[in-house]
Amino acid sequence: MERLHKYLARAGLASRRQAEEMIKQGRVKVNGAIVREMGVQVEPGRDAVSVDGALVIVKDEPVYVLLHKPVGVVTTMNDPEKRKKVTDLLKGVKTRVYPVGRLDYHTAGLLLLTNDGELAYRLTHPKYKVDKVYQAAIQGIMPEDALDKLTKGVLLEDGVSAPAKIRRIHKGPASVYEITIHEGRNRQVRRMFEAVGFPVTALKRVSFGPLKLGDLPAGAWRYLEDREIQVLKKACRYTEF
Ligand code: URA
């Protein structure tokens, strides 16, 4: 809730003092009713505030946060099991932001959160084919034919996966593969690896479009830099800003 004169000032309509004058003059309505007294509270986004008959809308500044999601945290905002949420980790971020896509409870890595709904929509829309890079650990070493299947596309219960890029980055009793996909189906990487007989033992997203996780520690977050926002928008042809 916010006081009406502050809300009008934040909308860029007038100073707080001028806003108080407007209210006294009977020019301001809240949900269709003229408000003349001071101190009335409004709920931004819920209450319809108008001045001289024109609706007043306060647009939040767009905020872009890059989080290194640790394992053991849910991406969803409403978890029936009341487990820890990614937004619980964003101490200091005052604006309400929403995750762009999802990472499973057991998956770590780069998660973007924003209040820019248009950007979030575009980044998750299959049409824009935004690449995501994951590092997946498995037991053993995958033979060529399994790699070939993953590259060309494997049959999953919701259809064949689109072509992917894959390369081994660590060889050992447990190997690590880096896989690049642009689709964002539920548990997609895990299901792709399962489909070729190599279940993933640990999964981490290291990049999302042009954004890189870098050495941000698990559980930490940072705001995107202006340059990163620009290239991210370019990656999904969102240039009307
Ligand atoms: N693929 C998965 O299997 N899990 C994720 O969290 C993201 C992609």
Side-chain angles (χ1 to χ4, degrees):
M1 296 290 267
E2 180 174 18
R3 293 177 68 175
L4 183 55
H5 69 294
K6 268 177 86 176
Y7 177 85
L8 293 171
R10 205 156 58 84
L13 227 74
S15 68
R16 287 194 196 179
R17 180 154 313 154
Q18 288 165 336
E20 286 179 348
E21 276 308 305
M22 289 173 163
I23 296 170
K24 277 189 203 144
Q25 289 161 1
R27 295 167 58 193
V28 182
K29 285 184 185 169
V30 176
N31 300 325
I34 292 179
V35 168
R36 283 178 195 274
E37 64 273 28
M38 288 302 122
V40 167
Q41 304 266 348
V42 291
E43 170 115 23
R46 274 269 286 286
D47 290 319
V49 177
S50 62
V51 173
D52 299 332
L55 205 60
V56 177
I57 293 166
V58 177
K59 268 188 115 179
D60 277 330
E61 275 285 298
V63 172
Y64 307 92
V65 173
L66 190 161
L67 170 72
H68 183 164
K69 176 198 173 295
V71 167
V73 179
V74 290
T75 308
T76 42
M77 305 292 262
N78 295 310
D79 180 43
E81 293 175 45
K82 302 265 175 280
R83 290 171 294 184
K84 191 166 182 169
K85 303 192 286 284
V86 287
T87 45
D88 296 333
L89 299 170
L90 304 184
K91 298 276 176 306
V93 178
K94 297 276 182 290
T95 313
R96 211 179 160 85
V97 287
Y98 301 88
V100 178
R102 252 180 60 184
L103 288 178
D104 305 330
Y105 185 72
H106 294 290
T107 300
L110 193 166
L111 184 69
L112 176 68
L113 297 105
T114 183
N115 58 349
D116 183 338
E118 176 64 22
L119 183 74
Y121 169 76
R122 285 170 178 254
L123 289 173
T124 49
H125 196 293
K127 173 169 134 189
Y128 297 102
K129 294 195 165 80
V130 175
D131 276 346
K132 293 120 200 153
V133 182
Y134 296 87
Q135 290 178 353
I138 59 160
Q139 286 302 314
I141 294 176
M142 246 193 275
E144 273 310 313
D145 66 324
L147 289 174
D148 201 47
K149 280 186 198 154
L150 288 176
T151 308
K152 290 186 176 139
V154 280
L155 182 60
L156 304 174
E157 60 185 9
D158 50 358
V160 178
S161 60
K165 281 184 242 155
I166 183 156
R167 66 187 181 107
R168 192 175 63 212
I169 57 170
H170 178 77
K171 185 177 168 186
S175 308
V176 181
Y177 290 83
E178 192 164 86
I179 180 164
T180 305
I181 60 171
H182 60 74
E183 296 174 294
R185 302 194 222 164
N186 192 24
R187 297 187 66 255
Q188 179 161 349
V189 174
R190 290 178 193 275
R191 290 192 292 134
M192 287 171 72
F193 277 67
E194 269 158 31
V196 295
F198 286 88
V200 165
T201 54
L203 187 62
K204 178 168 159 185
R205 180 155 70 191
V206 293
S207 72
F208 185 86
L211 303 178
K212 304 261 179 282
L213 183 63
D215 50 15
L216 190 69
W221 64 270
R222 65 173 178 84
Y223 290 113
L224 291 192
E225 290 163 16
D226 288 346
R227 178 78 198 128
E228 288 177 308
I229 299 167
Q230 278 172 22
V231 285
L232 193 58
K233 287 184 170 178
K234 213 163 162 200
C236 57
R237 307 198 288 282
Y238 175 25
T239 46
E240 59 276 20
F241 58 95

